[in-house]
Amino acid sequence: MARTVWDSSVGKKAVMAVSGIVMLLYLVVHMIGNLKIFFGPGEFDHYAHWLRTLGEPFMHYEWTLWLIRVVLVAAVVAHAVSAYQLSRRDLRARPSKYVHKKARASYATRTMRWGGVILGLFIVWHLLDLTTGTVHSGGFQEGHPYQNVVDTFSTWYGNVVYLVAMLALGLHVRHGFFSAAQTLGAGSRTRNRALRAVADVLALLLTAGFVAVPVGVMTGVVS
C-alpha cells in the first residue's frame, strides 16, 4: 500500500504537504529562538545550551536535538525527492510546449523550483557556517553561538547569502502553505481566501523575523 501511494502523484503531493508542514513548524520555532539574540549574548548562548539539554534527564545530552535533526533531514529529503519526481512526471506528460500559453502565474508559483534549489544550497552553507564552523569567518567558537552569528553577519557575503535565502523562503512558504492546504483537503470555496491570508502573514512574519537578525548586526543593534 505504501508503495502504491508513493508511486501516485497524489501520494507524492501528500508527502510534500506533510513534510512541508513539519519544516514550517520548525521554522516558526527556529525564528523565535533566533530573536533571542536581541536580548544579549547571555540569553542567546543559554538558549543554545538549553537545546542540547532538552529532555534531560530522560534523554541524554544532545539526544533530543539529534532526534529533531533526523526528523528534519527526513522531511527535507522527502520534500525534495517528491518535488523532483513530480516535476519530471509533469515534463514527461507534456514534452512539448502548450500551443496556447497558460494564464500568468504568481511570482511565487513561477519561482518555486528555483526557490527550492536556493534553499537547499543555503541549508548546506548554513550548517557548514554555524553548526560545524567549516566555512565560518572570524574563527568559529564552539559554545559561543552569539559571537558566531555576529561574525557571520559582519561580512558582506554572509548577509547577501542569508538575505537572498530568506526572500526565497518567504515566496516558498507563501505558495507552499496554500498548496499543502489544498492537497490535504483543507481548502474550499469559502476557506481559500482565509488560507491565502494565513499564507501571506506566515511568509511575511518568517521573512521579517529571520531578516531581523542580520539587519540587527549590520545596524549595530546586535554587536
Side-chain angles (χ1 to χ4, degrees):
M1 179 182 288
R3 183 57 186 270
T4 301
V5 172
W6 171 250
D7 286 342
S8 68
S9 294
V10 173
K12 293 183 189 299
K13 289 180 179 179
V15 169
M16 278 192 70
V18 173
S19 59
I21 291 174
V22 169
M23 290 186 287
L24 180 60
L25 292 174
Y26 167 77
L27 286 171
V28 172
V29 174
H30 187 43
M31 180 200 68
I32 295 172
N34 281 2
L35 293 177
K36 287 181 176 290
I37 201 168
F38 289 99
F39 295 95
E43 181 81 12
F44 192 71
D45 290 352
H46 176 70
Y47 164 69
H49 176 71
W50 172 80
L51 287 175
R52 287 157 175 75
T53 60
L54 188 62
E56 288 187 343
F58 178 73
M59 299 291 280
H60 193 61
Y61 183 75
E62 285 196 344
W63 278 14
T64 303
L65 185 58
W66 273 107
L67 180 61
I68 293 171
R69 287 169 175 167
V70 169
V71 171
L72 283 173
V73 168
V76 170
V77 171
H79 198 77
V81 171
S82 299
Y84 175 76
Q85 292 185 354
L86 282 170
S87 177
R88 298 301 301 172
R89 183 170 293 183
D90 184 51
L91 289 174
R92 285 196 299 269
R94 49 179 181 85
S96 58
K97 294 183 178 180
Y98 291 113
V99 176
H100 300 288
K101 291 184 177 180
K102 297 175 70 176
R104 185 178 179 84
S106 69
Y107 185 77
T109 303
R110 289 183 285 114
T111 56
M112 279 295 285
R113 291 173 185 171
W114 279 112
V117 173
I118 290 172
L119 290 172
L121 293 174
F122 169 74
I123 290 172
V124 174
W125 177 83
H126 196 52
L127 291 174
L128 292 176
D129 179 34
L130 292 175
T131 300
T132 66
T134 307
V135 298
H136 186 74
S137 61
F140 184 77
Q141 300 181 50
E142 186 70 38
H144 297 278
Y146 181 94
Q147 188 57 50
N148 292 333
V149 170
V150 171
D151 288 343
T152 291
F153 297 128
S154 295
T155 62
W156 68 267
Y157 57 85
N159 288 311
V160 170
V161 170
Y162 196 85
L163 292 175
V164 169
M166 291 309 100
L167 291 175
L169 174 66
L171 292 173
H172 211 76
V173 168
R174 181 175 179 268
H175 176 72
F177 178 83
F178 182 76
S179 296
Q182 300 301 309
T183 298
L184 297 177
S188 70
R189 181 174 298 179
T190 56
R191 290 195 294 263
N192 281 349
R193 188 170 182 177
L195 288 170
R196 289 188 186 278
V198 172
D200 290 342
V201 171
L202 271 174
L204 181 61
L205 288 178
L206 283 172
T207 303
F210 281 118
V211 166
V213 177
V215 171
V217 176
M218 286 188 285
T219 57
V221 176
V222 176
S223 61

